[in-house]
Amino acid sequence: MFADRARIYIKSGKGGNGHISFRREKFVPAGGPDGGNGGKGGDVIFVVDKGMNTLSDFRVNSKYVAESGQEGGAKRCTGKSGKDLIIKVPEGTVIYDDAGERVIADMSAGQDRLVLLHGGRGGKGNMNYATPTMQAPQYAQPGQEARGLWVRLELKCIADVGLVGFPNAGKSTLLARVTNADPKIANYPFTTLQPNLGVVDLPQGAGGFVIADIPGLIEGASEGVGLGHEFLRHIERCRVLIHMVDVAGSDGRDPAEDIRTINSELAKYDTKLLKKPQVIACNKIDAVTVADGEEDPVAKIRREFESDTVKVFAISAVSGQGVKELLFYVKHLLDTAAPKPVRFESQVEPDMLFDDPKESYTVTVSNEDPHTFLVFGPRIDRMLGYTNLEAEKGFQFFQKYLKETGILDELKALGIQDGDTVRVGSDGDENALAFDYYE
């Protein structure tokens, strides 16, 4: 089954914790700290695989987690870094932030590899904290936490030219004639159930281009009617649109009304689509019969729609009549308009989607007791994670930390007095560390 959308959860690897240990050898009673650093967590990396053409693999598995780094070891051994997680996607995949629906990256136009989430940094072992005044540190730094994120993947096919029109207008027949593509062709609605791509090679060294047959659009497509809503996104990258219309009215429809309807649906989805160079291909002219006194349908369409920017061609995708002239004109449009493929610019950097735990903490007065002060937040929990408060040196480090970060100044500004209680960490609840304040 063709799949061009998916929602997945990605998570980088956690950094390994630093290790606490001391050198113990014969005749070396106090060898000093030798706890090694933790290993780095694995990154989450998106890579373009040009052999893929759908996102169907992500329908089976929606959770992707990189390997965490290992804890440091004794004898100054650094823990093994976690293995990076490689996620392969088709070229043309756009990655969105699922919460804010902002573009994170467009995996096309040379962007074939992206480190979207970096693994956590490994924590420092206690060997890094030895000083002349603290020769036996009893604490080590924990590894940096992993980062997790829900993202939405959308595949927008990469083609220079998009074929749009009602079902059975002859788009697949034209694609089969001018390329080596082998689309399914039959005379019933929605024969085409997925975008089909083919390469047009023009004669006489005129070059070529990629053309896509977009599944048939109908009235209400932009609102989810029929299959149009599922595939309108594939038109966004196209630089030129060929609007195919059944000029013979084989299904009893009015060709001019078909053109108006499709243009209306394109505008409802995205007004920028109507600004793309457009060519109208009046197909099935070999099946046209004009009664006495009636206007030729091709002439009627030219009278209503042809302008300096829109040219009308009469063709037969079955016999090939007029097809060569159509293709050469489309190549001329590609050479003179929108020289670069459509690329979706990033609207947000991955790092902007996360709060920095090193910068967030809160100092406030308890609502229940004016003599109790609360200090909590990710930054505080991080510090407590690598501080051994039961050791004298660890508690001294804790006091120094409160002073250097400005937390003590904030407590004084709130009016703390000797003997008041300070609760640190765990959002200030009953699990928080509590101590009496004295200057």
Side-chain angles (χ1 to χ4, degrees), residues 255-274:
E257 184 60 29
D258 284 357
I259 295 174
R260 287 190 288 269
T261 299
I262 297 302
N263 281 338
S264 174
E265 293 305 318
L266 294 177
K268 289 178 183 177
Y269 181 79
D270 188 345
T271 55
K272 294 179 182 177
L273 298 182
L274 289 185

Side-chain angles (χ1 to χ4, degrees), residues 14 16 24 38 59 64 89 135 205 207 257-258 276 308 312 405:
K14 179 185 179 299
R24 291 291 182 266
R59 297 286 181 89
Y64 298 83
V89 294
Q135 298 182 9
E257 184 60 29
D258 284 357
K276 295 178 181 290
D308 293 338
V312 177
T405 54

Side-chain angles (χ1 to χ4, degrees), residues 319-368:
S319 69
Q321 180 181 350
V323 171
K324 180 179 178 181
E325 292 79 4
L326 169 67
L327 296 180
F328 270 95
Y329 180 74
V330 168
K331 183 62 169 65
H332 167 72
L333 289 179
L334 290 171
D335 291 340
T336 57
K340 294 183 179 180
V342 175
R343 191 169 189 275
F344 295 85
E345 295 299 327
S346 175
Q347 296 172 322
V348 61
E349 294 294 329
D351 287 344
M352 296 169 57
L353 301 173
F354 300 92
D355 292 327
D356 188 349
K358 296 184 294 183
E359 300 300 330
S360 53
Y361 67 83
T362 299
V363 180
T364 186
V365 182
S366 171
N367 294 327
E368 301 174 357

Side-chain angles (χ1 to χ4, degrees), residues 403-423:
K403 181 178 180 180
E404 291 181 345
T405 54
I407 292 175
L408 290 181
D409 291 337
E410 291 191 41
L411 289 170
K412 292 176 182 178
L414 291 173
I416 194 169
Q417 301 292 326
D418 287 352
D420 288 346
T421 300
V422 179
R423 304 181 69 88

